[in-house]
Structure formats: C-alpha cells, structure tokens
Amino acid sequence: MIPLAFIGVFFVWPVGALVVRAVRVSDGEGLLDLARRTDAWGLLGFTLAQAAGSTLVTLVVAAPIIWLVATCSARTSTVLMVGVTIPFVLPTVVVGMAFRAIVSPGGPLSGLGLDGSVASIVAAHAFLNIAVVVRVVGSAWRTQDPRAELAARTLGATPWRAFTTVVLPRLIVPILSASALVFLFCSTSFGVVLILGNGRWQTIETAVYTQAIGYFDLPAAVTLSLLQIIVVIVVVAISGWVTPRTVAVVAREATARVRGRASRAVAALVAVWAVVVLVGPLSVVVIRSLRPTAGGEWTLSGYRSLTRAVNGQTPLQTLQYSVVSALWAMVLSVVIGLLAAIALQRARGTASTVGSALALVPLGVSAVTVGFGYLIVLASLPAGVASWPGLIPAVQALIAVPVVIRVIAPALAAIPPRLRHAAATLGAGPWRVWRTVDLPLIWRPLAASGAFAFIIAVGEFGATGFLARPGTTTLPVLIGSALNRPGADNLATAMACSVLMIVATAIAVVVMESFRTVSGGDL
C-alpha cells in the first residue's frame, strides 16, 4: 500500500490534474485528431528507432568494458565503475553541449559532418548509459560461480566456447534488464535530442516540450505524453515476457575466475578504449570551462563565479543542497522500491506483469508533463506546500524508484524458494525469514540500487526545474539556467558547475565503491 500511495500522490495526482486541464481546454478535439495534427506517429517511429539504435550501440560500446570489469582486480574495477558512473549523473543538456562541441565546427570530429545528425544523438546516448549496462551486467558476471567455466576449460573448451556456453547464458537476464532500462532512458531523452537534433530531429519528449512551452498547447502535449506512457508499458511488458523469472544466485565473491590467461595486450587495448569513450567527452567539458568558445581566450571566470551568489545562493551552496536532497531521495526511493519489489515478487501471472509495467511508468513519462502537473496541483494548495522541504527529494525519488525496483526485483526472484521453506520449517517467522535468508542474498543489489538512486537524484533536471525555488535550486537546474543565458561568461559558469558536479560525483562513487570493496562484494 505504501508504494501505491506514494505513486498516487506524487505521480498520478499531478499527471491526472494536467490531463483534466487539457480536456477542459481541448474544445472537443479527439485524441486521434490531436495525434494527426502533431505527427505523433512519425515522432513515435523516430523515437523508437533512435532508442533501439542507441541501446544496441550502448551494448556494443560497453561490452569490452564489461569484460574488463569482470576479469580485472578489485581496484581496477573500482576505477572503471567510477569512470562509467560519472557520465550517467551529468545533466543531459551538459552532455548535449559536450557532444555538440565535439562535432561542431572547430571540434575534434568536425570533419565527419556529424553536426545535427542522428549519429551524434546515438553516440551521446551511449555515453550516458554505459553505466547502466556495465553496473548491471558487469556486477552479475563478476559474482558468477566460476566452477562451471573452469570445468568447461578443463574439458578442452576454448575461452570463447566456455564464454558462449557457460557464462553468456547466465548473463541473459542482466543484459535484457539493462537493455530495457537503456531503451527507456533513450526514448525519454530530452536535453541530448534538443541540443544535438538542431531542430531537424524530434522525439516524443522534445515534442511534448515544444507543444507545452513553445505553443502552450496542453491537449497536444498530453496526447503525446499518453502515447509515451503506452510505449513504456509495452516495452516493460515485452521485457518481462522474454526475461526468465529465476536465475542462479551466488551469495559470495567469485574470486577464482579464469582470468590469469587473458592477454595483457587485450586488457591494455580495452583500457585505452574505456579512456577514450569515457574521458574524451568529459575532457571537452573541462576544456570548455576554461575556454568557453572555440578559438576564444582561456579564462578562470567560470570557476571564480562558483563563489558568487545567484539569486541569493552560490553554486557551491547549490551543490551542498543537491547532495543533501539526493541522499534523502535515495533513502526514500530504496524503501519504496524495496517494498514494491517484494510485492511484485509475491504477485503472480497478470498481476505481476501489470505491476511491473506500472512500476516503470514514472520513468517513461515526460518530465515536462510531470512538472506542469505539479504546477497545476500546487496552485490549488496552500502556499506552504510548495516550499515543503521534502517536495524535491520526493520528486527525485519518484524518478529513481523504477530503477530501484528494476535492480532489486530480479535478485528477489532469483532466491531459491527452498531456502525460505527450510527456514520456516525450522520455526522462523516471516520477518526472520526475510532478515536471515532474503536480506543476505540481496544486499548487494540493494546497495547498487541505492547508488543508482543517489546518482539519478543528483542529476535529475526535468521535473525538479519546475519546482526549484531560491534556496532549493539543484545544481543541474542552475547549469540549465546558465546555459539558457547568452554570453561566454554564462557558458563558462555552466561548464565550471558541470566540472564541479563531475568531481562531486566521482568522490561519491569512490566512497560507494570503497564500501563495496571493504564489504567483500560486488554491486
């Protein structure tokens, strides 16, 4: 009941209020007429095509890094996890600006003619979502029991055959789970498409923004949002149908993996690949913080502005609020997500499929839609509600809860029922069974979901931008505001704040990965 109440208050209520307002001002125009007027079917086709292409490219780009994470030392794995996680937390507008600088005239890849192309959008999406694939699939591979692989190698199987026949089948569930998340993230991407599309390419998400902000056509915006919700439900239903309900679980660290024979040359090449893919775009952000315009002067004005107040709050104070708000959002999303995952694990048949789809709906709805809904709802409530300190953490948690569920639910489903039955037979009550059987087996996915929730909360930009007030402005919102203002100084400030976010995120992820290493497990 608690997850349903949370989703009802913070998602269904504002979205429902927006739908009601849209119906009132639609002048009787039907959904099909609105869909034709907004070219919804063309937008849907491009949205699905670029999301599918982005997902495929992300898997290909991440594959070598996954192998390195699964076979390297714990220290190298920590470094790689930090590297892949930083891009995921950056506001999409910053990533869009970074890739725009790479492909635009004067950029490193300007000669390839990628400015305003679909290829640049796909590349930016792959850069953003490598973390999802590496953390989900890499952690699952690293914690696999290596004895079956060792047995195959002992019986004469080549490394490739041992991988395809023993390792890969046990990675299908994590791969499908990660792919579904990446597809959803790419299909609802906003800043990347808005900046790199150059007005030529639009997804449903950017079209919702155009209709709502540019034309203030709420019926058209809501129609596109409803289409987006349908896409999310279908994607989740398909992924739930093709994903097995149970997989083998290993509760210990798999340290005896076959990795001693791996070529050092191959590992070195993969390391170089990881550096190019992960550090290259980030270095552009750093350079642009010191040299805002191509061919312009080098300056530290962006970093000097970090201590200057904007609307009564310096960027450093904004960062502090962002971290505190994200921590509260992390706690809230883990609690709500865990309760929801337990309920979904106990559900059967249609109830389980429908519940899984509904749990991910907030992730696939336009942030613009949710933000407008909050404005409508808050306008009818006492003024003190809009300034409630828990509002922004709750909204951030709303975006993170689907990811928490997606990470925890497979781990719960993978626990052999005989373990619970044995504990119950020995006299353990339901609470003790969960505490002594379930919790020790899912604490790593639980910690991983918390890390993801914190990262998502820190980087949330869409809905939070509608709710930010003086004193409750998050760093992504501040970056977006600076990017919307003309002038090299504002661009330098935005990029300096982005570098600040990169550093803060790196520190947070190092702490999380250090905790993982000290605890003796992999997330």
Side-chain angles (χ1 to χ4, degrees):
M1 292 300 296
I2 294 178
L4 286 177
F6 179 80
I7 297 295
V9 171
F10 291 101
F11 176 73
V12 176
W13 187 10
V15 173
L18 183 61
V19 171
V20 170
R21 176 68 64 88
V23 171
R24 289 177 179 174
V25 300
S26 64
D27 294 329
E29 193 173 7
L31 291 178
L32 292 179
D33 294 331
L34 287 168
R36 283 192 292 266
R37 178 163 64 83
T38 57
D39 189 27
W41 310 121
L43 291 170
L44 175 62
F46 177 73
T47 298
L48 297 179
Q50 66 84 25
S54 298
T55 302
L56 180 61
V57 172
T58 303
L59 292 173
V60 173
V61 171
I65 303 175
I66 294 171
W67 172 81
L68 195 57
V69 166
T71 59
C72 67
S73 64
R75 180 174 298 179
T76 304
S77 174
T78 299
V79 174
L80 288 171
M81 287 297 191
V82 172
V84 300
T85 304
I86 291 174
F88 189 68
V89 75
L90 290 178
T92 55
V93 291
V94 175
V95 175
M97 290 294 294
F99 275 81
R100 183 71 179 271
I102 292 174
V103 301
S104 61
L109 301 181
S110 58
L112 299 179
L114 298 176
D115 192 14
S117 67
V118 178
S120 64
I121 296 174
V122 170
H125 283 162
F127 172 74
L128 276 168
N129 293 295
I130 287 176
V132 178
V133 180
V134 172
R135 294 194 73 100
V136 174
V137 181
S139 295
W141 188 354
R142 192 174 179 85
T143 54
Q144 278 189 9
D145 190 340
R147 288 175 294 183
E149 184 182 0
L150 287 169
R153 295 288 300 276
T154 302
L155 294 174
T158 62
W160 175 250
R161 186 175 182 183
F163 170 76
T164 56
T165 59
V166 177
V167 178
L168 185 59
R170 292 188 286 177
L171 294 179
I172 294 299
V173 172
I175 290 173
L176 291 175
S177 180
S179 297
L181 282 176
V182 172
F183 186 90
L184 289 175
F185 284 135
C186 294
S187 63
T188 58
S189 175
F190 173 67
V192 167
V193 180
L194 187 68
I195 292 175
L196 295 178
N198 280 355
R200 291 178 53 198
W201 306 104
Q202 273 200 331
T203 60
I204 294 177
E205 181 81 2
T206 57
V208 169
Y209 177 82
T210 301
Q211 295 293 337
I213 300 295
Y215 306 125
F216 205 72
D217 190 347
L218 291 185
V222 170
T223 299
L224 294 174
S225 294
L226 293 176
L227 182 60
Q228 195 174 53
I229 292 174
I230 294 173
V231 170
V232 172
I233 294 175
V234 170
V235 170
V236 175
I238 293 175
S239 66
W241 177 66
V242 300
T243 301
R245 295 296 298 170
T246 59
V247 292
V249 172
V250 179
R252 56 183 173 78
E253 173 76 4
T255 57
R257 181 168 311 284
V258 179
R259 56 176 175 241
R261 300 179 183 177
S263 170
R264 292 186 179 182
V266 174
L269 288 175
V270 174
V272 172
W273 169 255
V275 170
V276 171
V277 169
L278 300 172
V279 179
L282 295 180
S283 64
V284 173
V285 176
V286 176
I287 293 173
R288 282 303 176 101
S289 71
L290 299 171
R291 196 182 191 186
T293 57
E297 296 182 354
W298 296 86
T299 176
L300 293 174
S301 62
Y303 292 94
R304 295 191 189 101
S305 67
L306 295 179
T307 57
R308 292 199 295 266
V310 179
N311 296 327
Q313 192 174 12
T314 68
L316 292 177
Q317 291 172 329
T318 301
L319 172 64
Q320 180 181 0
Y321 173 79
S322 297
V323 172
V324 173
S325 176
L327 288 173
W328 280 111
M330 178 187 70
V331 173
L332 182 59
S333 61
V334 168
V335 172
I336 299 295
L338 177 60
L339 293 175
I342 293 174
L344 290 174
Q345 188 266 332
R346 294 177 179 176
R348 293 292 181 270
T350 304
S352 177
T353 303
V354 173
S356 298
L358 293 178
L360 281 186
V361 166
L363 191 64
V365 176
S366 167
V368 176
T369 300
V370 178
F372 262 109
Y374 276 114
L375 292 182
I376 293 173
V377 169
L378 292 176
S380 63
L381 296 177
V385 177
S387 59
W388 177 50
L391 182 59
I392 288 182
V395 173
Q396 292 171 334
L398 175 69
I399 307 300
V401 162
V403 178
V404 173
I405 296 173
R406 197 71 179 177
V407 173
I408 296 177
L412 285 172
I415 299 175
R418 65 178 182 275
L419 297 180
R420 299 190 183 99
H421 295 161
T425 301
L426 294 174
W431 165 247
R432 189 173 182 182
V433 169
W434 188 88
R435 181 170 55 84
T436 58
V437 176
D438 290 18
L439 185 59
L441 293 177
I442 69 165
W443 75 266
R444 290 169 184 158
L446 193 64
S449 68
F452 266 121
F454 177 83
I455 292 166
I456 291 172
V458 166
E460 207 286 318
F461 172 73
T464 305
F466 287 87
L467 303 174
R469 301 288 187 274
T472 62
T473 300
T474 61
L475 199 57
V477 174
L478 181 63
I479 293 171
S481 299
L483 287 175
N484 287 329
R485 294 192 295 266
D489 289 341
N490 289 320
L491 180 59
T493 299
M495 290 303 177
C497 289
S498 300
V499 173
L500 187 64
M501 176 167 282
I502 291 172
V503 174
T505 304
I507 294 173
V509 176
V510 167
V511 171
M512 293 177 186
E513 293 296 327
S514 299
F515 170 77
R516 171 194 63 123
T517 303
V518 171
S519 300
D522 273 309
L523 297 183

